[in-house]
Amino acid sequence: MPGEVRVRFAPSPTGLPHIGNIRTALFNWLFARHHGGKFIVRVEDTDQARLVPGSIEAMMDGLRWLGIDWDEGPEVGGPFAPYQQSERLKIYHDLAEQLVSQGNAYHCYCSQIRPAQDSHEQRDRRVSASADCQCRNLSQDDISKLAGGEESNVIRFAMPKNGVTRVNDLIRGNVEWKNELLDDFIILKSDGFPTYHLAVVADDHLMEISHVMRAEEWLPSTPRHLQLYEALGFEPPKFAHLPMIMGADRAKLSKRHGATAIGEYKDDGYLPEALLNFMVLLGWSLDDKTEVMPTQTIIDNFLLEKVTKSAAIFDQEKLLWMNGVYIREMTPEQLADRMMPFLERDLPKEYLPVDRDYLCRIAPLLQERIKRLDEAAGMASIFFKADQIDNTDILVQKGMDRDSTLSALKAALDELNAAEDFQHEKLEETLNVVGERLELSRRQFFGMLRVAATGRTVTPPLFEMMEVLGKDSVVSRMENAVERFSAAG
Ligand code: GLU
């Protein structure tokens, strides 16, 4: 690729970042890393009325969590700082005035000509449909009279009335717009802030952005941007508009599809590498069949030619499945370390701190059974303490009665007490003999043992669990069960 690749993610801090925002960041980052270029984060906070405090921090936390690092931008700085548009107002003012003096833009006084009882913001919005704005043709005389007044005004771009504006989008191909259908959009608002259109063009140029890769919803803004580039004498970057993301019902992605803020995925126990892998498939594919792949493989193969035009479908079930795949691929130590913060958050405080070595032994028993890390505590808690058996009837298996259950419990307890080797295969072998002697099926005998040792009917494999729990713990749990059972009988 000729010239350095410089791409940017340009979030507006107007809310918590969601899958759509982060997918855009991810594609830009992958493109930069693939080409050995730079990935820049720029904060587009020109719409002051819509600022939501904390959204930038949440966005940066989300990127960091996913391992998406930026070469220039907030916190890291860079040669084109500042990277926050509200700190760059002079640049936009100068460019707006340059456009006015060149005749490519004009001051619009509609707010003064028209009844001015509405607020500045409403007014800006109302006059953004400029069809009936006459200010483009005001005489010098009218202008001096109006400019002398106290009311602030806006600056509009003077859109050429003829011809077409074309873009050769790297994903969508050739797209063109008739200029006569494009309005004289506002470039500088009455609050002194630029609109997105002016600021984005100014900064993409000044920050030497080579490719603008953004969501498809920005495609209709592109002819405005191209006109600004031309009027300012700037060479435009290349454009690539990423496909929309829709829910399985083909409606635009929204909360009801599970498209929550990125931080919620973290809290819900999704792994960042699984979420990253899942997100890259929202509009890109390696070969139409491979789904699970390491980030490095994605980077190595991330070509825009493989980005689809058609909308991507967000499938929460697939994300869950993929998360499970990543969980199963880990070593016990890795899984233990990833589960640890969730156990610290969700286990009863009396079980803390969790011993790491112990957790490494528990991990393989949970690995096949959880798809999200937030399921770990519920499943692991029996390794710390058995659930209390409130109704001892759950010890009585199908085809057994209370007497046969009590003798079976006692026989098992004797055997466990005598056991020298608590290795799971050995335990299973010896207890199997006891069950056979009592003429109980494996299902009956082991089912009863499971409840006695854990208080639950569904657990990880019984004997592997007993091995991890160790003799002392298993024996005391069994004694407890016998005691409760006899007392209740
Ligand atoms: N600030 C815009 C947004 O919030 C960025 C659009 C663009 O990338 O040009 O999505």
Side-chain angles (χ1 to χ4, degrees):
M1 187 142 317
E4 192 193 15
V5 165
R6 290 179 56 81
V7 288
R8 85 311 190 265
F9 171 50
S12 298
T14 53
L16 295 178
H18 51 74
I19 288 278
N21 307 125
I22 301 294
R23 194 271 316 248
T24 298
L26 173 63
F27 277 35
N28 278 282
W29 178 75
L30 290 168
F31 189 73
R33 295 295 171 257
H34 177 86
H35 291 287
K38 294 278 189 299
F39 174 61
I40 294 132
V41 172
R42 183 177 69 226
V43 178
E44 301 204 326
D45 56 348
T46 57
D47 194 347
Q48 295 283 301
R50 292 180 59 222
L51 295 189
V52 174
S55 33
I56 284 302
E57 290 69 24
M59 187 273 300
M60 292 194 291
D61 286 348
L63 294 182
R64 269 191 290 259
W65 175 62
L66 288 160
I68 300 177
D69 56 338
W70 54 103
D71 305 301
E72 297 171 27
E75 291 187 350
V76 300
F80 302 101
Y83 291 87
Q84 183 148 347
Q85 291 185 327
S86 56
E87 294 172 17
R88 301 169 62 81
L89 297 186
K90 174 144 181 14
I91 296 174
Y92 316 124
H93 284 195
D94 291 351
L95 288 174
E97 285 307 333
Q98 179 194 327
L99 288 167
V100 172
S101 64
Q102 287 173 194
N104 293 110
Y106 58 92
H107 289 268
C108 171
Y109 299 91
C110 286
S111 54
Q112 283 150 293
I113 296 165
R114 295 174 191 174
Q117 66 271 36
D118 48 4
S119 75
H120 282 247
E121 271 301 315
Q122 280 170 315
R123 196 161 56 225
D124 286 353
R125 252 197 298 278
R126 181 161 60 79
V127 296
S128 70
S130 63
D132 56 349
C133 169
Q134 298 302 316
C135 301
R136 186 167 171 168
N137 309 313
L138 287 179
S139 69
Q140 206 47 54
D141 229 29
D142 297 334
I143 292 176
S144 349
K145 254 187 259 156
L146 288 164
E150 275 170 33
E151 280 279 337
S152 57
N153 56 43
V154 303
I155 297 182
R156 288 181 182 281
F157 184 73
M159 184 61 77
K161 293 292 170 210
N162 302 307
V164 292
T165 305
R166 287 193 184 87
V167 66
N168 184 1
D169 188 275
L170 296 177
I171 295 167
R172 315 215 65 81
N174 285 318
V175 189
E176 59 178 48
W177 296 264
K178 283 190 180 146
N179 292 341
E180 65 191 82
L181 299 178
L182 302 170
D183 63 346
D184 285 2
F185 57 96
I186 295 173
I187 55 175
L188 205 67
K189 299 181 283 183
S190 55
D191 63 359
F193 277 74
T195 55
Y196 154 68
H197 304 298
L198 177 62
V200 82
V201 167
D203 289 343
D204 284 343
H205 170 73
L206 292 170
M207 296 179 181
E208 298 178 6
I209 298 304
S210 61
H211 297 73
V212 166
M213 211 177 296
R214 60 188 172 196
E216 195 189 322
E217 60 181 302
W218 299 105
L219 186 62
S221 296
T222 309
R224 294 170 162 187
H225 301 170
L226 286 166
Q227 285 294 339
L228 277 170
Y229 278 104
E230 177 150 347
L232 289 164
F234 298 160
E235 192 186 331
K238 297 210 171 8
F239 288 93
H241 286 89
L242 304 172
M244 260 177 65
I245 306 177
M246 300 196 300
D249 56 0
R250 299 246 149 203
K252 194 175 174 341
L253 198 60
S254 70
K255 268 206 170 211
R256 82 195 144 85
H257 298 109
T260 44
I262 217 76
E264 287 181 41
Y265 288 96
K266 180 179 178 191
D267 296 343
D268 288 350
Y270 287 97
L271 300 167
E273 57 272 42
L275 185 60
L276 188 148
N277 189 157
F278 170 79
M279 277 195 297
V280 78
L281 299 176
L282 295 174
W284 177 88
S285 79
L286 178 66
D287 54 11
D288 289 329
K289 52 180 193 290
T290 313
E291 300 209 284
V292 179
M293 54 202 135
T295 306
Q296 194 55 49
T297 304
I298 300 173
I299 292 175
D300 292 346
N301 292 282
F302 194 81
L303 297 177
L304 283 187
E305 287 76 2
K306 302 248 176 92
V307 175
T308 56
K309 264 197 210 148
S310 51
I313 306 292
F314 177 91
D315 178 355
Q316 183 87 21
E317 283 303 312
K318 180 168 164 182
L319 170 60
L320 190 60
W321 164 80
M322 191 170 277
N323 208 53
V325 171
Y326 272 85
I327 284 180
R328 290 193 294 278
E329 276 177 359
M330 286 184 205
T331 63
E333 289 74 20
Q334 286 169 333
L335 181 56
D337 290 339
R338 304 296 278 270
M339 289 190 299
M340 189 64 97
F342 287 85
L343 297 185
E344 285 168 348
R345 183 189 75 181
D346 299 336
L347 278 178
K349 296 289 161 269
E350 70 208 79
Y351 303 168
L352 304 182
V354 174
D355 179 71
R356 183 175 181 272
D357 291 339
Y358 186 48
L359 188 55
C360 288
R361 297 179 58 219
I362 298 172
L365 300 186
L366 304 187
Q367 199 149 16
E368 298 287 330
R369 290 170 184 78
I370 58 171
K371 288 199 179 120
R372 296 180 355 190
L373 297 174
D374 66 342
E375 298 168 64
M379 209 167 281
S381 76
I382 46 170
F383 288 92
F384 299 87
K385 194 171 171 191
D387 285 0
Q388 182 162 315
I389 301 173
D390 292 324
N391 178 356
T392 53
D393 286 348
I394 63 163
L395 282 158
V396 183
Q397 306 297 299
K398 217 170 164 191
M400 292 174 75
D401 56 19
R402 290 193 75 89
D403 285 346
S404 59
T405 300
L406 186 59
S407 14
L409 278 173
K410 285 181 173 162
L413 180 56
D414 287 346
E415 195 64 42
L416 287 163
N417 252 323
E420 272 164 23
D421 190 350
F422 238 64
Q423 194 267 337
H424 70 93
E425 279 147 348
K426 186 85 191 119
L427 272 181
E428 179 165 1
E429 205 182 294
T430 39
L431 285 164
N432 198 28
V433 174
V434 179
E436 277 172 5
R437 200 178 64 221
L438 297 170
E439 293 180 2
L440 294 173
S441 70
R442 286 170 69 90
R443 200 191 170 127
Q444 289 171 317
F445 191 49
F446 296 165
M448 178 205 72
L449 278 176
R450 184 186 307 279
V451 177
T454 65
R456 291 190 193 170
T457 51
V458 180
T459 69
L462 178 63
F463 298 104
E464 289 167 59
M465 197 171 59
M466 284 185 167
E467 179 180 332
V468 172
L469 285 169
K471 181 168 171 174
D472 289 352
S473 167
V474 174
V475 165
S476 97
R477 289 173 181 212
M478 292 293 299
E479 284 169 353
N480 231 330
V482 172
E483 210 170 290
R484 280 189 89 82
F485 194 76
S486 316

